Amino acid sequence: MINKKSDREIELMREAGRITALAHRKVAEAIAPGVSTFELDRIAEQAIRENGATPSFKGYGGFPGSICASINDVVIHGIPKKNIILKHGDIISIDIGACYKGYHGDSARTHAVGKISKEKEDLIRCTRESFYEGLKFAKPNNHLSDISHAIESYVVMHGYGVVRDFTGHGVGQKLHEDPAIPNYGDPGMGPLLKEGMTLAIEPMVTSGNYRVKVLSDGWTTVTVDGSDSAHYENTILITKDGYEILTTEEGGKTNVKE
Ligand code: MG
Ligand code: MG
């Protein structure tokens, strides 16, 4: 069942989203060669807690970190560690969730560490742009898979792979709610979008084949072919005539391209 949120719930999700975005900014400011992913985790957790929220991921399904920190061929769910140190030329995907008064915000960004290759820059840009391509279809009475199809079409057109084993999702009182939101598929399928739905849309894109595998720690998800991967995610609200991005520091952006 897809939960539609009340005005009060949406207010709480705006604040959760704002805190999530703020934590992203703090982490982004700290990203540099020589920094460990454990340090980034501590910075995010502090920012979240200082703002009266809790890290959504910490303890979720047993996940040990407050953030996911996924470098190069790690697609998602990288566990922050003291001995994982950023190097010049890496790309790092940071996924952050913050829970404020029982409601979650969830968003992800991929960053450059120092100077990166043109190929990596292009991958990061295409991943971000694919989110906005999907967003064009985020309005009432469109089908959910209209978003999925737009993301896939854009990514494939640029010669990249769309990860299939993991999806976006509804979000609210639970970090993961119905519906699952694949980043691929035919248009015109799945539930109709309705005002008050809150969705985490999150393309995960690879520079090679889309196949991924989970390492023996049960979390770290890497590309099978060792290609690089990028991730971009926001929590959005379906409004009367479009959408609002909830995971921004300004407290919600309506129908604008960031
Ligand atoms: Mg996320
Ligand atoms: Mg998510």
Side-chain angles (χ1 to χ4, degrees):
M1 193 190 80
I2 303 173
N3 293 316
K4 285 188 268 180
K5 273 63 175 187
S6 67
D7 288 349
R8 177 191 156 270
E9 290 179 300
I10 290 164
E11 260 324 298
L12 295 175
M13 290 193 66
R14 276 196 192 98
E15 181 61 7
R18 188 190 69 79
I19 295 165
T20 306
L22 184 151
H24 267 293
R25 176 167 56 82
K26 298 283 186 187
V27 169
E29 286 167 2
I31 287 174
V35 173
S36 75
T37 56
F38 182 80
E39 280 177 74
L40 300 179
D41 187 88
R42 288 189 44 183
I43 288 165
E45 178 163 0
Q46 187 181 350
I48 291 167
R49 292 196 190 279
E50 279 176 358
N51 283 272
T54 53
S56 304
F57 302 166
K58 193 150 202 166
Y60 186 85
F63 189 76
S66 291
I67 66 173
C68 300
S70 307
I71 298 174
N72 296 335
D73 65 326
V74 182
V75 181
I76 49 168
H77 300 167
I79 299 171
K81 289 189 177 159
K82 287 180 179 168
N83 63 357
I84 300 181
I85 310 290
L86 300 181
K87 301 190 305 293
H88 257 295
D90 284 342
I91 56 173
I92 180 166
S93 299
I94 302 289
D95 198 345
I96 301 180
C99 183
Y100 180 76
K101 295 187 176 172
Y103 288 82
H104 295 275
D106 185 9
S107 62
R109 298 286 186 272
T110 301
H111 301 281
V113 181
K115 176 80 179 148
I116 60 170
S117 67
K118 166 98 169 41
E119 288 75 18
K120 288 183 175 184
E121 270 177 20
D122 290 345
L123 173 67
I124 292 172
R125 186 177 61 247
C126 180
T127 305
R128 178 175 178 279
E129 287 174 353
S130 74
F131 167 87
Y132 286 99
E133 289 298 311
L135 210 51
K136 291 177 181 171
F137 294 86
K139 59 182 171 189
N141 299 317
N142 275 352
H143 283 274
L144 183 69
S145 83
D146 297 343
I147 296 174
S148 312
H149 181 71
I151 291 171
E152 180 188 24
S153 301
Y154 191 79
V155 170
V156 169
M157 181 175 76
H158 286 82
Y160 298 119
V162 177
V163 172
R164 292 173 172 245
D165 290 359
F166 295 88
T167 68
H169 49 91
V171 55
Q173 281 185 292
K174 290 187 192 158
L175 181 60
H176 294 116
E177 299 184 349
D178 287 341
I181 309 172
N183 295 302
Y184 65 95
D186 293 329
M189 314 280 282
L192 290 173
L193 300 174
K194 296 291 175 193
E195 184 179 358
M197 288 181 177
T198 45
L199 308 171
I201 299 171
E202 50 178 314
M204 290 154 264
V205 177
T206 69
S207 62
N209 188 274
Y210 64 75
R211 288 183 56 226
V212 300
K213 64 181 178 186
V214 179
L215 299 185
S216 58
D217 62 18
W219 289 104
T220 310
T221 301
V222 301
T223 56
V224 171
D225 64 6
S227 61
D228 288 319
S229 180
H231 187 193
Y232 190 90
E233 175 184 32
N234 282 306
T235 299
I236 69 153
L237 165 72
I238 302 294
T239 60
K240 190 158 68 71
D241 55 2
Y243 63 84
E244 176 183 323
I245 299 175
L246 299 177
T247 35
T248 73
E249 282 199 74
E250 296 77 23
K253 281 187 179 175
T254 306
N255 294 8
V256 293
K257 182 152 182 169
E258 205 178 51

